[in-house]
Amino acid sequence: MEVLETNINACFEINPKLIYDSRGYFYESFNAARFREKTGLNIQFVQDNQSFSERGVLRGLHLQKGIHAQAKLVSVLKGKVLDVAIDLRKDSETFGQVYRTLLSEENKKQLFIPRGCAHGFVVLSETCLFFYKCDNYYHKASEAGIIYDDRDLGIDWQLAKDELIISDKDLVLPSFKDYISEYSEVN
């Protein structure tokens, strides 16, 4: 496994080592000891999630706050997405930075997103099967997020706005500035 640092502190892009033979391929999608050795992080995943989406579906930008915050290891089992992470940790030297990468069934890349970062993706293929490993359980009351088209973040989602399919819930998420202002007042 090759682990690459991103521009966000403790956010890593992971390229697994694939072993091919006449039957196809095999790879280890997660190994806790190797992950710890390569990243210095001791992560214990407790929940796996999958989502199926069609082209243009944009999910995000989501996170859970407080004691229910989640670190995630995400990958694409089928299809292709533009995957995005945003550092919302006010004490981080990379606060406010955005990282984007393509995850696909072809490249088998994974992205590790630490607690305190928002995450989202848009489906670029006809369909997509997306996989998440989480280090904390889902807790509805701790949900939070940032609006996908925030002007200050300026994320290029690689699709025209009229091609995007976004949930009603995600369309009313706050701006980056409003989220930071609200979060600062709570803490």
Side-chain angles (χ1 to χ4, degrees):
M1 135 177 34
E2 177 187 36
V3 176
L4 305 171
E5 292 185 26
T6 70
N7 63 305
I8 295 177
N9 185 32
C11 181
F12 299 98
E13 198 169 284
I14 300 165
N15 296 298
K17 180 182 177 188
L18 277 72
I19 302 165
Y20 291 94
D21 65 19
S22 60
R23 301 167 294 169
Y25 69 84
F26 170 87
Y27 73 95
E28 191 173 72
S29 60
F30 182 74
N31 178 306
R34 281 199 184 95
F35 185 84
R36 185 173 44 254
E37 173 189 325
K38 300 261 184 180
T39 66
L41 301 173
N42 187 21
I43 300 296
Q44 296 186 351
F45 293 112
V46 297
Q47 181 175 321
D48 289 352
N49 303 319
Q50 286 186 29
S51 66
F52 177 82
S53 305
E54 295 180 356
R55 179 179 170 78
V57 168
L58 192 153
R59 295 181 185 268
L61 298 154
H62 303 144
L63 74 154
Q64 287 192 180
K65 298 186 301 184
I67 63 169
H68 299 288
Q70 292 178 319
K72 299 174 185 172
L73 180 64
V74 300
S75 60
V76 169
L77 302 177
K78 185 79 173 154
K80 178 179 172 181
V81 305
L82 174 69
D83 202 71
V84 176
I86 302 162
D87 191 347
L88 298 177
R89 301 167 294 179
K90 290 196 107 175
D91 59 345
S92 170
E93 68 245 14
T94 58
F95 170 74
Q97 290 191 28
V98 176
Y99 183 74
R100 301 171 356 138
T101 190
L102 291 174
L103 303 179
S104 72
E105 67 183 291
E106 286 86 21
N107 68 23
K108 311 282 188 270
K109 283 197 290 188
Q110 299 174 316
L111 187 64
F112 175 78
I113 302 132
R115 290 181 178 198
C117 290
H119 171 254
F121 66 88
V122 66
V123 178
L124 302 176
S125 52
E126 289 307 308
T127 61
C128 176
L129 183 57
F130 196 85
F131 186 74
Y132 314 67
K133 293 183 88 53
C134 303
D135 79 334
N136 206 350
Y137 297 105
Y138 171 74
H139 186 260
K140 185 170 180 54
S142 299
E143 286 181 343
I146 305 287
I147 190 75
Y148 78 98
D149 62 350
D150 182 87
R151 282 184 281 172
D152 293 322
L153 297 175
I155 300 167
D156 176 3
W157 291 99
Q158 297 188 357
L159 293 177
K161 203 166 191 168
D162 65 352
E163 292 180 89
L164 299 177
I165 303 165
I166 304 167
S167 73
D168 291 341
K169 181 175 98 172
D170 287 354
L171 286 172
V172 297
L173 290 172
S175 69
F176 174 73
K177 283 182 180 172
D178 287 346
Y179 173 84
I180 297 308
S181 174
E182 177 184 325
Y183 185 69
S184 295
E185 291 172 10
V186 172
N187 292 318

